Every structure is written in C-alpha cells, then in structure tokens.
Amino acid sequence: MASTSGTKCEDKINKDEIGVKEKIVSECGIIASASVAETRYLFDFTKNDSVETWEEISDTVRDVGMSKALITIHKNIGFRRAIFFVLLNPQLNGAGFAGMRVLSNYDLSGYTALQIYCRGQGQFNRFKVTLRHKGFNDETNYSFEQYFQAPKDEFAVRDLRLSEFKAYYRGKKVVNNETLNLSQITSIGLQMYGGVYQTVKQKGPATLEIDWIRAVVL
C-alpha cells in the first residue's frame, strides 16, 4: 500500500494560513517555510475596525502650537470609512503639524509597501505617514516618514514603498545609517504638515477620507 505521509505533509502546509511567517514541522520531518501573505490589512475601516485607540499628536506638544487633528468613523447603511480631520495653524515659516497615531506592535517583515485607499478634500491635500520602531514613540526621537499627495476627486490607492521611509526629526531629514526595523514597528501615524522645509506651504482645514491601510508585497 502506498504511503500517505507525503500527502499529509502537503495538506498541513497548504492548510496553514498564509500571513504568518514561521516554520512548519510536518509529520514526515520536512521543514517548510510559510510564505508571507501578499496583503495584510492593518486598518480596514470599511468593516469593523474602530479608531478608539488612535491618539492625537499635533504641534500643541510645543508651546507655540495651535493645530488640531482628529479621526472618526463616518458611515451610513451603504458605506463605512474613517475621516481624518485637520485644522492646521502653522507658524509664519510654515512650522506646524496636525496628526493622529496608533501605538501597537506590527511585524511588517517581508512586505515592501504600504497602500492607502483614500481621498482628500480641502484646499491642500499633502499628507505623510509616520512610522516609529522599537518603542521609540515619543517626540524626542526621530520618526520614519514618507510624504504623499491625496487624490482630490475620486478615491484612489497611494503606494508608499517601505524602503522609502526616511528618518526625520521635527520635519527635517536626519542623516544617519539606521534603517527602519520592519519587524518592530510600534507606531503608525498620519499627519498634515505646514511645510517648514518644503516648497509647498499648507494651512487651514483639510480632510482625508480613508477606506483602508494595508501592507503589501509589490
């Protein structure tokens, strides 16, 4: 009678849920690597994900700051999404920011980009995603950031390559040799910026409607 051990091994590997990166030890002694899922939803606001754990981090952490941000769920019987509201009151030189973040632990090893399905409304539509790692979540440490321009009319996906997140401190790029540790992401945030070090200066009210944010393999 033919052996069924090979089939059992294949079944175990095939049934293992893609999305965890671990070793599977099969009954026949074979060690197989489970692949990373090509898509991992970090926040899917079209379903049941809430915004209760998000917290504001705006320029009011400094004495001269006067900006405000919040994120809320917007829904009716036909749709559900998050809206990131901003009132940006920068200094005369453009210094200022308004943002929200969530503190948690994310292992994004194996992924190559973040994607945001979004739409911006208001006069200005330039935002950035901020990431922090290894528990260095307070404002005295630099963050890893990437800028993007939100679509204004229709919802669209914005791709943010993880390799393009660079270290910044208070809006200014930091020259160092440290790279973002994707296995120890401890803060994910959204910001609207005044543009003290940018050619485009922003101020006033703005919104960013978000259906989801996900990690992908591109």
PDB file of all heavy atoms in Angstrom, residues 65-102:
ATOM      1  N   GLY A  65       2.333  75.775  19.413  1.00  0.00           N
ATOM      2  CA  GLY A  65       1.457  75.034  18.503  1.00  0.00           C
ATOM      3  C   GLY A  65      -0.005  75.371  18.681  1.00  0.00           C
ATOM      4  O   GLY A  65      -0.488  75.559  19.799  1.00  0.00           O
ATOM      5  N   MET A  66      -0.738  75.433  17.550  1.00  0.00           N
ATOM      6  CA  MET A  66      -2.165  75.784  17.599  1.00  0.00           C
ATOM      7  C   MET A  66      -2.994  74.949  16.635  1.00  0.00           C
ATOM      8  O   MET A  66      -4.097  75.336  16.244  1.00  0.00           O
ATOM      9  CB  MET A  66      -2.353  77.270  17.278  1.00  0.00           C
ATOM     10  CG  MET A  66      -1.690  78.216  18.254  1.00  0.00           C
ATOM     11  SD  MET A  66      -1.919  79.967  17.815  1.00  0.00           S
ATOM     12  CE  MET A  66      -3.704  80.123  17.934  1.00  0.00           C
ATOM     13  N   SER A  67      -2.478  73.798  16.200  1.00  0.00           N
ATOM     14  CA  SER A  67      -3.183  72.969  15.228  1.00  0.00           C
ATOM     15  C   SER A  67      -3.993  71.883  15.937  1.00  0.00           C
ATOM     16  O   SER A  67      -3.796  71.605  17.123  1.00  0.00           O
ATOM     17  CB  SER A  67      -2.194  72.347  14.245  1.00  0.00           C
ATOM     18  OG  SER A  67      -1.500  73.350  13.537  1.00  0.00           O
ATOM     19  N   LYS A  68      -4.898  71.250  15.185  1.00  0.00           N
ATOM     20  CA  LYS A  68      -5.797  70.257  15.771  1.00  0.00           C
ATOM     21  C   LYS A  68      -6.073  69.155  14.756  1.00  0.00           C
ATOM     22  O   LYS A  68      -6.203  69.410  13.555  1.00  0.00           O
ATOM     23  CB  LYS A  68      -7.119  70.920  16.184  1.00  0.00           C
ATOM     24  CG  LYS A  68      -8.123  69.992  16.821  1.00  0.00           C
ATOM     25  CD  LYS A  68      -7.637  69.475  18.163  1.00  0.00           C
ATOM     26  CE  LYS A  68      -8.644  68.523  18.810  1.00  0.00           C
ATOM     27  NZ  LYS A  68      -8.109  67.941  20.078  1.00  0.00           N
ATOM     28  N   ALA A  69      -6.157  67.920  15.254  1.00  0.00           N
ATOM     29  CA  ALA A  69      -6.496  66.791  14.394  1.00  0.00           C
ATOM     30  C   ALA A  69      -7.398  65.827  15.149  1.00  0.00           C
ATOM     31  O   ALA A  69      -7.345  65.731  16.381  1.00  0.00           O
ATOM     32  CB  ALA A  69      -5.232  66.059  13.934  1.00  0.00           C
ATOM     33  N   LEU A  70      -8.210  65.105  14.405  1.00  0.00           N
ATOM     34  CA  LEU A  70      -8.996  64.014  14.973  1.00  0.00           C
ATOM     35  C   LEU A  70      -9.334  63.037  13.864  1.00  0.00           C
ATOM     36  O   LEU A  70      -9.283  63.370  12.674  1.00  0.00           O
ATOM     37  CB  LEU A  70     -10.259  64.526  15.669  1.00  0.00           C
ATOM     38  CG  LEU A  70     -11.338  65.227  14.835  1.00  0.00           C
ATOM     39  CD1 LEU A  70     -12.343  64.223  14.269  1.00  0.00           C
ATOM     40  CD2 LEU A  70     -12.082  66.260  15.674  1.00  0.00           C
ATOM     41  N   ILE A  71      -9.664  61.819  14.261  1.00  0.00           N
ATOM     42  CA  ILE A  71     -10.092  60.806  13.300  1.00  0.00           C
ATOM     43  C   ILE A  71     -11.368  60.171  13.823  1.00  0.00           C
ATOM     44  O   ILE A  71     -11.499  59.930  15.040  1.00  0.00           O
ATOM     45  CB  ILE A  71      -8.981  59.756  13.057  1.00  0.00           C
ATOM     46  CG1 ILE A  71      -9.346  58.839  11.892  1.00  0.00           C
ATOM     47  CG2 ILE A  71      -8.667  58.965  14.314  1.00  0.00           C
ATOM     48  CD1 ILE A  71      -8.189  57.959  11.425  1.00  0.00           C
ATOM     49  N   THR A  72     -12.307  59.961  12.934  1.00  0.00           N
ATOM     50  CA  THR A  72     -13.601  59.432  13.335  1.00  0.00           C
ATOM     51  C   THR A  72     -14.138  58.502  12.261  1.00  0.00           C
ATOM     52  O   THR A  72     -13.705  58.557  11.099  1.00  0.00           O
ATOM     53  CB  THR A  72     -14.598  60.583  13.593  1.00  0.00           C
ATOM     54  OG1 THR A  72     -15.801  60.056  14.159  1.00  0.00           O
ATOM     55  CG2 THR A  72     -14.940  61.318  12.300  1.00  0.00           C
ATOM     56  N   ILE A  73     -15.092  57.662  12.646  1.00  0.00           N
ATOM     57  CA  ILE A  73     -15.755  56.772  11.688  1.00  0.00           C
ATOM     58  C   ILE A  73     -16.970  57.486  11.113  1.00  0.00           C
ATOM     59  O   ILE A  73     -17.765  58.092  11.845  1.00  0.00           O
ATOM     60  CB  ILE A  73     -16.183  55.450  12.364  1.00  0.00           C
ATOM     61  CG1 ILE A  73     -14.954  54.649  12.790  1.00  0.00           C
ATOM     62  CG2 ILE A  73     -17.041  54.624  11.412  1.00  0.00           C
ATOM     63  CD1 ILE A  73     -14.088  54.158  11.651  1.00  0.00           C
ATOM     64  N   HIS A  74     -17.105  57.413   9.806  1.00  0.00           N
ATOM     65  CA  HIS A  74     -18.241  58.002   9.096  1.00  0.00           C
ATOM     66  C   HIS A  74     -18.957  56.872   8.365  1.00  0.00           C
ATOM     67  O   HIS A  74     -18.314  56.117   7.614  1.00  0.00           O
ATOM     68  CB  HIS A  74     -17.736  59.048   8.100  1.00  0.00           C
ATOM     69  CG  HIS A  74     -18.802  59.730   7.308  1.00  0.00           C
ATOM     70  ND1 HIS A  74     -20.017  60.104   7.847  1.00  0.00           N
ATOM     71  CD2 HIS A  74     -18.844  60.113   6.000  1.00  0.00           C
ATOM     72  CE1 HIS A  74     -20.748  60.678   6.921  1.00  0.00           C
ATOM     73  NE2 HIS A  74     -20.072  60.703   5.797  1.00  0.00           N
ATOM     74  N   LYS A  75     -20.257  56.727   8.584  1.00  0.00           N
ATOM     75  CA  LYS A  75     -20.954  55.586   7.980  1.00  0.00           C
ATOM     76  C   LYS A  75     -22.442  55.873   7.830  1.00  0.00           C
ATOM     77  O   LYS A  75     -23.010  56.745   8.493  1.00  0.00           O
ATOM     78  CB  LYS A  75     -20.774  54.324   8.835  1.00  0.00           C
ATOM     79  CG  LYS A  75     -21.401  54.421  10.223  1.00  0.00           C
ATOM     80  CD  LYS A  75     -21.188  53.138  11.019  1.00  0.00           C
ATOM     81  CE  LYS A  75     -21.836  53.247  12.402  1.00  0.00           C
ATOM     82  NZ  LYS A  75     -21.659  51.984  13.178  1.00  0.00           N
ATOM     83  N   ASN A  76     -23.033  55.133   6.920  1.00  0.00           N
ATOM     84  CA  ASN A  76     -24.484  55.009   6.842  1.00  0.00           C
ATOM     85  C   ASN A  76     -24.784  53.584   6.413  1.00  0.00           C
ATOM     86  O   ASN A  76     -23.902  52.713   6.464  1.00  0.00           O
ATOM     87  CB  ASN A  76     -25.106  56.069   5.916  1.00  0.00           C
ATOM     88  CG  ASN A  76     -24.732  55.868   4.461  1.00  0.00           C
ATOM     89  OD1 ASN A  76     -24.228  54.818   4.057  1.00  0.00           O
ATOM     90  ND2 ASN A  76     -24.979  56.879   3.644  1.00  0.00           N
ATOM     91  N   ILE A  77     -25.960  53.312   5.944  1.00  0.00           N
ATOM     92  CA  ILE A  77     -26.315  51.944   5.595  1.00  0.00           C
ATOM     93  C   ILE A  77     -25.524  51.416   4.399  1.00  0.00           C
ATOM     94  O   ILE A  77     -25.354  50.215   4.224  1.00  0.00           O
ATOM     95  CB  ILE A  77     -27.844  51.833   5.317  1.00  0.00           C
ATOM     96  CG1 ILE A  77     -28.264  50.365   5.317  1.00  0.00           C
ATOM     97  CG2 ILE A  77     -28.209  52.534   3.994  1.00  0.00           C
ATOM     98  CD1 ILE A  77     -29.763  50.184   5.271  1.00  0.00           C
ATOM     99  N   GLY A  78     -24.974  52.338   3.601  1.00  0.00           N
ATOM    100  CA  GLY A  78     -24.316  51.914   2.373  1.00  0.00           C
ATOM    101  C   GLY A  78     -22.802  51.942   2.377  1.00  0.00           C
ATOM    102  O   GLY A  78     -22.174  51.388   1.479  1.00  0.00           O
ATOM    103  N   PHE A  79     -22.176  52.583   3.375  1.00  0.00           N
ATOM    104  CA  PHE A  79     -20.719  52.657   3.373  1.00  0.00           C
ATOM    105  C   PHE A  79     -20.215  52.880   4.793  1.00  0.00           C
ATOM    106  O   PHE A  79     -20.953  53.270   5.700  1.00  0.00           O
ATOM    107  CB  PHE A  79     -20.212  53.777   2.460  1.00  0.00           C
ATOM    108  CG  PHE A  79     -20.383  55.163   3.033  1.00  0.00           C
ATOM    109  CD1 PHE A  79     -19.362  55.764   3.754  1.00  0.00           C
ATOM    110  CD2 PHE A  79     -21.571  55.852   2.883  1.00  0.00           C
ATOM    111  CE1 PHE A  79     -19.516  57.031   4.300  1.00  0.00           C
ATOM    112  CE2 PHE A  79     -21.738  57.123   3.424  1.00  0.00           C
ATOM    113  CZ  PHE A  79     -20.700  57.707   4.138  1.00  0.00           C
ATOM    114  N   ARG A  80     -18.910  52.661   4.939  1.00  0.00           N
ATOM    115  CA  ARG A  80     -18.243  52.898   6.222  1.00  0.00           C
ATOM    116  C   ARG A  80     -16.785  53.227   5.932  1.00  0.00           C
ATOM    117  O   ARG A  80     -16.121  52.525   5.172  1.00  0.00           O
ATOM    118  CB  ARG A  80     -18.323  51.657   7.114  1.00  0.00           C
ATOM    119  CG  ARG A  80     -17.807  51.855   8.553  1.00  0.00           C
ATOM    120  CD  ARG A  80     -17.918  50.541   9.305  1.00  0.00           C
ATOM    121  NE  ARG A  80     -17.714  50.698  10.731  1.00  0.00           N
ATOM    122  CZ  ARG A  80     -16.528  50.700  11.345  1.00  0.00           C
ATOM    123  NH1 ARG A  80     -15.414  50.553  10.618  1.00  0.00           N
ATOM    124  NH2 ARG A  80     -16.440  50.832  12.659  1.00  0.00           N
ATOM    125  N   ARG A  81     -16.269  54.298   6.526  1.00  0.00           N
ATOM    126  CA  ARG A  81     -14.865  54.676   6.345  1.00  0.00           C
ATOM    127  C   ARG A  81     -14.433  55.583   7.495  1.00  0.00           C
ATOM    128  O   ARG A  81     -15.260  56.016   8.299  1.00  0.00           O
ATOM    129  CB  ARG A  81     -14.639  55.372   5.005  1.00  0.00           C
ATOM    130  CG  ARG A  81     -15.334  56.711   4.837  1.00  0.00           C
ATOM    131  CD  ARG A  81     -14.971  57.354   3.482  1.00  0.00           C
ATOM    132  NE  ARG A  81     -15.198  56.462   2.379  1.00  0.00           N
ATOM    133  CZ  ARG A  81     -16.220  56.580   1.506  1.00  0.00           C
ATOM    134  NH1 ARG A  81     -17.094  57.566   1.634  1.00  0.00           N
ATOM    135  NH2 ARG A  81     -16.344  55.746   0.509  1.00  0.00           N
ATOM    136  N   ALA A  82     -13.141  55.875   7.561  1.00  0.00           N
ATOM    137  CA  ALA A  82     -12.631  56.819   8.547  1.00  0.00           C
ATOM    138  C   ALA A  82     -12.383  58.164   7.872  1.00  0.00           C
ATOM    139  O   ALA A  82     -12.069  58.230   6.681  1.00  0.00           O
ATOM    140  CB  ALA A  82     -11.337  56.300   9.166  1.00  0.00           C
ATOM    141  N   ILE A  83     -12.521  59.228   8.647  1.00  0.00           N
ATOM    142  CA  ILE A  83     -12.171  60.567   8.159  1.00  0.00           C
ATOM    143  C   ILE A  83     -11.173  61.186   9.135  1.00  0.00           C
ATOM    144  O   ILE A  83     -11.407  61.255  10.341  1.00  0.00           O
ATOM    145  CB  ILE A  83     -13.392  61.484   8.031  1.00  0.00           C
ATOM    146  CG1 ILE A  83     -14.459  60.863   7.135  1.00  0.00           C
ATOM    147  CG2 ILE A  83     -12.968  62.835   7.454  1.00  0.00           C
ATOM    148  CD1 ILE A  83     -15.681  61.737   6.938  1.00  0.00           C
ATOM    149  N   PHE A  84     -10.063  61.615   8.572  1.00  0.00           N
ATOM    150  CA  PHE A  84      -9.007  62.302   9.317  1.00  0.00           C
ATOM    151  C   PHE A  84      -9.224  63.793   9.093  1.00  0.00           C
ATOM    152  O   PHE A  84      -9.050  64.300   7.980  1.00  0.00           O
ATOM    153  CB  PHE A  84      -7.657  61.824   8.779  1.00  0.00           C
ATOM    154  CG  PHE A  84      -6.452  62.530   9.319  1.00  0.00           C
ATOM    155  CD1 PHE A  84      -6.290  62.760  10.667  1.00  0.00           C
ATOM    156  CD2 PHE A  84      -5.441  62.942   8.447  1.00  0.00           C
ATOM    157  CE1 PHE A  84      -5.159  63.402  11.161  1.00  0.00           C
ATOM    158  CE2 PHE A  84      -4.304  63.576   8.921  1.00  0.00           C
ATOM    159  CZ  PHE A  84      -4.159  63.808  10.281  1.00  0.00           C
ATOM    160  N   PHE A  85      -9.663  64.495  10.153  1.00  0.00           N
ATOM    161  CA  PHE A  85      -9.925  65.928  10.083  1.00  0.00           C
ATOM    162  C   PHE A  85      -8.733  66.699  10.627  1.00  0.00           C
ATOM    163  O   PHE A  85      -8.157  66.327  11.654  1.00  0.00           O
ATOM    164  CB  PHE A  85     -11.153  66.297  10.924  1.00  0.00           C
ATOM    165  CG  PHE A  85     -12.466  65.877  10.334  1.00  0.00           C
ATOM    166  CD1 PHE A  85     -13.113  64.743  10.807  1.00  0.00           C
ATOM    167  CD2 PHE A  85     -13.065  66.615   9.333  1.00  0.00           C
ATOM    168  CE1 PHE A  85     -14.335  64.347  10.289  1.00  0.00           C
ATOM    169  CE2 PHE A  85     -14.300  66.236   8.809  1.00  0.00           C
ATOM    170  CZ  PHE A  85     -14.930  65.095   9.275  1.00  0.00           C
ATOM    171  N   VAL A  86      -8.408  67.811   9.967  1.00  0.00           N
ATOM    172  CA  VAL A  86      -7.251  68.609  10.356  1.00  0.00           C
ATOM    173  C   VAL A  86      -7.599  70.095  10.305  1.00  0.00           C
ATOM    174  O   VAL A  86      -8.272  70.553   9.370  1.00  0.00           O
ATOM    175  CB  VAL A  86      -6.051  68.345   9.419  1.00  0.00           C
ATOM    176  CG1 VAL A  86      -4.926  69.328   9.686  1.00  0.00           C
ATOM    177  CG2 VAL A  86      -5.551  66.922   9.566  1.00  0.00           C
ATOM    178  N   LEU A  87      -7.144  70.839  11.309  1.00  0.00           N
ATOM    179  CA  LEU A  87      -7.088  72.299  11.240  1.00  0.00           C
ATOM    180  C   LEU A  87      -5.640  72.670  11.492  1.00  0.00           C
ATOM    181  O   LEU A  87      -5.135  72.524  12.612  1.00  0.00           O
ATOM    182  CB  LEU A  87      -7.998  72.966  12.269  1.00  0.00           C
ATOM    183  CG  LEU A  87      -7.939  74.495  12.287  1.00  0.00           C
ATOM    184  CD1 LEU A  87      -8.341  75.083  10.935  1.00  0.00           C
ATOM    185  CD2 LEU A  87      -8.805  75.066  13.394  1.00  0.00           C
ATOM    186  N   LEU A  88      -4.961  73.144  10.455  1.00  0.00           N
ATOM    187  CA  LEU A  88      -3.530  73.419  10.534  1.00  0.00           C
ATOM    188  C   LEU A  88      -3.300  74.918  10.695  1.00  0.00           C
ATOM    189  O   LEU A  88      -3.681  75.708   9.835  1.00  0.00           O
ATOM    190  CB  LEU A  88      -2.847  72.898   9.270  1.00  0.00           C
ATOM    191  CG  LEU A  88      -1.320  72.844   9.287  1.00  0.00           C
ATOM    192  CD1 LEU A  88      -0.817  71.892  10.365  1.00  0.00           C
ATOM    193  CD2 LEU A  88      -0.802  72.402   7.925  1.00  0.00           C
ATOM    194  N   ASN A  89      -2.693  75.299  11.809  1.00  0.00           N
ATOM    195  CA  ASN A  89      -2.344  76.694  12.090  1.00  0.00           C
ATOM    196  C   ASN A  89      -0.829  76.797  12.227  1.00  0.00           C
ATOM    197  O   ASN A  89      -0.288  76.841  13.341  1.00  0.00           O
ATOM    198  CB  ASN A  89      -3.019  77.167  13.384  1.00  0.00           C
ATOM    199  CG  ASN A  89      -4.503  77.400  13.210  1.00  0.00           C
ATOM    200  OD1 ASN A  89      -4.929  78.025  12.245  1.00  0.00           O
ATOM    201  ND2 ASN A  89      -5.292  76.875  14.136  1.00  0.00           N
ATOM    202  N   PRO A  90      -0.090  76.864  11.131  1.00  0.00           N
ATOM    203  CA  PRO A  90       1.367  76.870  11.205  1.00  0.00           C
ATOM    204  C   PRO A  90       1.920  78.234  11.613  1.00  0.00           C
ATOM    205  O   PRO A  90       1.222  79.256  11.592  1.00  0.00           O
ATOM    206  CB  PRO A  90       1.782  76.527   9.773  1.00  0.00           C
ATOM    207  CG  PRO A  90       0.672  77.072   8.931  1.00  0.00           C
ATOM    208  CD  PRO A  90      -0.586  76.889   9.747  1.00  0.00           C
ATOM    209  N   GLN A  91       3.201  78.243  11.972  1.00  0.00           N
ATOM    210  CA  GLN A  91       3.920  79.480  12.219  1.00  0.00           C
ATOM    211  C   GLN A  91       4.192  80.177  10.878  1.00  0.00           C
ATOM    212  O   GLN A  91       3.963  79.607   9.799  1.00  0.00           O
ATOM    213  CB  GLN A  91       5.236  79.192  12.939  1.00  0.00           C
ATOM    214  CG  GLN A  91       5.070  78.432  14.244  1.00  0.00           C
ATOM    215  CD  GLN A  91       4.176  79.164  15.229  1.00  0.00           C
ATOM    216  OE1 GLN A  91       4.441  80.318  15.589  1.00  0.00           O
ATOM    217  NE2 GLN A  91       3.113  78.506  15.669  1.00  0.00           N
ATOM    218  N   LEU A  92       4.680  81.388  10.904  1.00  0.00           N
ATOM    219  CA  LEU A  92       4.905  82.147   9.677  1.00  0.00           C
ATOM    220  C   LEU A  92       5.877  81.459   8.728  1.00  0.00           C
ATOM    221  O   LEU A  92       5.770  81.590   7.509  1.00  0.00           O
ATOM    222  CB  LEU A  92       5.421  83.556  10.020  1.00  0.00           C
ATOM    223  CG  LEU A  92       4.424  84.471  10.740  1.00  0.00           C
ATOM    224  CD1 LEU A  92       5.084  85.806  11.081  1.00  0.00           C
ATOM    225  CD2 LEU A  92       3.177  84.686   9.882  1.00  0.00           C
ATOM    226  N   ASN A  93       6.809  80.694   9.270  1.00  0.00           N
ATOM    227  CA  ASN A  93       7.772  79.995   8.412  1.00  0.00           C
ATOM    228  C   ASN A  93       7.265  78.648   7.918  1.00  0.00           C
ATOM    229  O   ASN A  93       7.989  77.922   7.245  1.00  0.00           O
ATOM    230  CB  ASN A  93       9.094  79.809   9.163  1.00  0.00           C
ATOM    231  CG  ASN A  93       8.960  78.892  10.375  1.00  0.00           C
ATOM    232  OD1 ASN A  93       7.851  78.490  10.749  1.00  0.00           O
ATOM    233  ND2 ASN A  93      10.085  78.577  10.994  1.00  0.00           N
ATOM    234  N   GLY A  94       6.031  78.301   8.263  1.00  0.00           N
ATOM    235  CA  GLY A  94       5.456  77.028   7.831  1.00  0.00           C
ATOM    236  C   GLY A  94       5.554  75.926   8.850  1.00  0.00           C
ATOM    237  O   GLY A  94       5.033  74.825   8.630  1.00  0.00           O
ATOM    238  N   ALA A  95       6.205  76.176   9.980  1.00  0.00           N
ATOM    239  CA  ALA A  95       6.336  75.138  11.004  1.00  0.00           C
ATOM    240  C   ALA A  95       4.981  74.840  11.619  1.00  0.00           C
ATOM    241  O   ALA A  95       4.261  75.747  12.051  1.00  0.00           O
ATOM    242  CB  ALA A  95       7.325  75.578  12.073  1.00  0.00           C
ATOM    243  N   GLY A  96       4.645  73.563  11.658  1.00  0.00           N
ATOM    244  CA  GLY A  96       3.373  73.151  12.237  1.00  0.00           C
ATOM    245  C   GLY A  96       2.941  71.803  11.676  1.00  0.00           C
ATOM    246  O   GLY A  96       3.309  71.450  10.555  1.00  0.00           O
ATOM    247  N   PHE A  97       2.193  71.069  12.473  1.00  0.00           N
ATOM    248  CA  PHE A  97       1.673  69.784  12.011  1.00  0.00           C
ATOM    249  C   PHE A  97       0.477  69.391  12.853  1.00  0.00           C
ATOM    250  O   PHE A  97       0.313  69.846  13.993  1.00  0.00           O
ATOM    251  CB  PHE A  97       2.755  68.697  12.081  1.00  0.00           C
ATOM    252  CG  PHE A  97       3.228  68.371  13.472  1.00  0.00           C
ATOM    253  CD1 PHE A  97       2.678  67.316  14.183  1.00  0.00           C
ATOM    254  CD2 PHE A  97       4.219  69.135  14.085  1.00  0.00           C
ATOM    255  CE1 PHE A  97       3.111  67.024  15.476  1.00  0.00           C
ATOM    256  CE2 PHE A  97       4.667  68.846  15.370  1.00  0.00           C
ATOM    257  CZ  PHE A  97       4.111  67.784  16.064  1.00  0.00           C
ATOM    258  N   ALA A  98      -0.360  68.555  12.278  1.00  0.00           N
ATOM    259  CA  ALA A  98      -1.511  68.014  12.988  1.00  0.00           C
ATOM    260  C   ALA A  98      -1.634  66.551  12.604  1.00  0.00           C
ATOM    261  O   ALA A  98      -1.624  66.218  11.419  1.00  0.00           O
ATOM    262  CB  ALA A  98      -2.777  68.778  12.618  1.00  0.00           C
ATOM    263  N   GLY A  99      -1.725  65.686  13.612  1.00  0.00           N
ATOM    264  CA  GLY A  99      -1.716  64.270  13.281  1.00  0.00           C
ATOM    265  C   GLY A  99      -2.397  63.392  14.306  1.00  0.00           C
ATOM    266  O   GLY A  99      -2.728  63.812  15.414  1.00  0.00           O
ATOM    267  N   MET A 100      -2.579  62.142  13.892  1.00  0.00           N
ATOM    268  CA  MET A 100      -3.103  61.093  14.747  1.00  0.00           C
ATOM    269  C   MET A 100      -2.209  59.867  14.585  1.00  0.00           C
ATOM    270  O   MET A 100      -1.615  59.659  13.527  1.00  0.00           O
ATOM    271  CB  MET A 100      -4.539  60.730  14.349  1.00  0.00           C
ATOM    272  CG  MET A 100      -5.550  61.851  14.446  1.00  0.00           C
ATOM    273  SD  MET A 100      -5.913  62.383  16.149  1.00  0.00           S
ATOM    274  CE  MET A 100      -6.624  60.885  16.852  1.00  0.00           C
ATOM    275  N   ARG A 101      -2.136  59.067  15.642  1.00  0.00           N
ATOM    276  CA  ARG A 101      -1.332  57.857  15.561  1.00  0.00           C
ATOM    277  C   ARG A 101      -1.959  56.758  16.407  1.00  0.00           C
ATOM    278  O   ARG A 101      -2.803  57.020  17.284  1.00  0.00           O
ATOM    279  CB  ARG A 101       0.088  58.121  16.057  1.00  0.00           C
ATOM    280  CG  ARG A 101       0.171  58.372  17.558  1.00  0.00           C
ATOM    281  CD  ARG A 101       1.605  58.522  18.023  1.00  0.00           C
ATOM    282  NE  ARG A 101       1.667  58.723  19.477  1.00  0.00           N
ATOM    283  CZ  ARG A 101       2.805  58.889  20.141  1.00  0.00           C
ATOM    284  NH1 ARG A 101       3.962  58.891  19.488  1.00  0.00           N
ATOM    285  NH2 ARG A 101       2.785  59.058  21.458  1.00  0.00           N
ATOM    286  N   VAL A 102      -1.512  55.529  16.172  1.00  0.00           N
ATOM    287  CA  VAL A 102      -1.912  54.390  16.984  1.00  0.00           C
ATOM    288  C   VAL A 102      -0.647  53.668  17.423  1.00  0.00           C
ATOM    289  O   VAL A 102       0.278  53.458  16.628  1.00  0.00           O
ATOM    290  CB  VAL A 102      -2.869  53.451  16.215  1.00  0.00           C
ATOM    291  CG1 VAL A 102      -2.227  52.890  14.958  1.00  0.00           C
ATOM    292  CG2 VAL A 102      -3.371  52.334  17.110  1.00  0.00           C
TER     293      VAL A 102
END
